[in-house]
Amino acid sequence: MAGITREVKVIKCWKYLEAEPPIPSIRVEVHGVKESVESAFRLDTGYPGQLLISTDLYEKLGLNLAELPEKEFGVYRTASGLVEMKRSQAKITIHDLGIDMEVIVETPRRIFFERNLVGRELINRLKLLLDGVKGEDCIIEYE
């Protein structure tokens, strides 16, 4: 099956997060009730939501003060069973892409979580090139 050929313009690239194997990521600034924090977020195509953040960051940003009603909390099936998620609305900025938008931020309700992830719902709005050979994520443009 033949693919589509496109002329692609690479705008900016940055290195994957160091790990074994390296991890594609993007810098996101999350604006909470108490403060704003910018951090590298892993790109995770296995997570269907927008942003999944660490328990500590959720509390530091004060998102627990602006949670959605409990009936709007989510539940995901994982390899270790069902995980209930608290949800809060927040504004994010992705400076490299010139994006300011409202998103739903989640963190597990009853377990301690240590990672910051960008999920498919947000990834699918971005034009990114994942160059595994070079270990880089790149912002791209094409028609």
Side-chain angles (χ1 to χ4, degrees):
M1 186 172 181
I4 298 172
T5 302
R6 291 188 173 138
E7 182 113 359
V8 175
K9 180 180 179 184
V10 175
I11 307 300
K12 181 178 181 180
C13 297
W14 56 93
K15 288 290 186 189
Y16 283 5
L17 294 175
E18 289 187 28
E20 195 53 51
I23 303 166
S25 68
I26 192 164
R27 292 200 67 79
V28 177
E29 184 175 9
V30 183
H31 307 282
V33 175
K34 293 181 180 177
E35 61 183 283
S36 297
V37 173
E38 185 175 9
S39 182
F41 279 68
R42 298 170 182 223
L43 298 177
D44 187 342
T45 59
Y47 166 57
Q50 294 179 337
L51 284 186
L52 177 57
I53 67 174
S54 70
T55 306
D56 289 342
L57 184 56
Y58 193 86
E59 292 174 10
K60 180 178 182 177
L61 293 169
L63 295 175
N64 55 320
L65 303 173
E67 282 180 355
L68 298 176
E70 196 169 327
K71 66 182 180 189
E72 295 184 39
F73 286 5
V75 177
Y76 294 108
R77 182 176 308 279
T78 69
S80 58
L82 297 177
V83 178
E84 186 177 16
M85 299 287 184
K86 301 187 287 186
R87 289 182 171 159
S88 182
Q89 205 163 11
K91 182 179 173 191
I92 65 165
T93 302
I94 303 175
H95 297 284
D96 288 334
L97 297 173
I99 292 176
D100 286 299
M101 63 187 292
E102 293 280 330
V103 296
I104 299 297
V105 178
E106 299 179 300
T107 199
R109 186 174 187 186
R110 293 185 171 87
I111 60 172
F112 185 76
F113 189 72
E114 297 183 272
R115 293 186 177 149
N116 296 315
L117 310 175
V118 172
R120 288 192 314 266
E121 195 172 322
L122 185 52
I123 292 169
N124 288 340
R125 298 179 186 185
L126 308 175
K127 288 184 180 177
L128 295 173
L129 168 71
L130 304 182
D131 187 339
V133 175
K134 288 185 178 178
E136 294 180 336
D137 304 298
C138 298
I139 301 163
I140 60 170
E141 287 182 356
Y142 60 86
E143 295 197 25

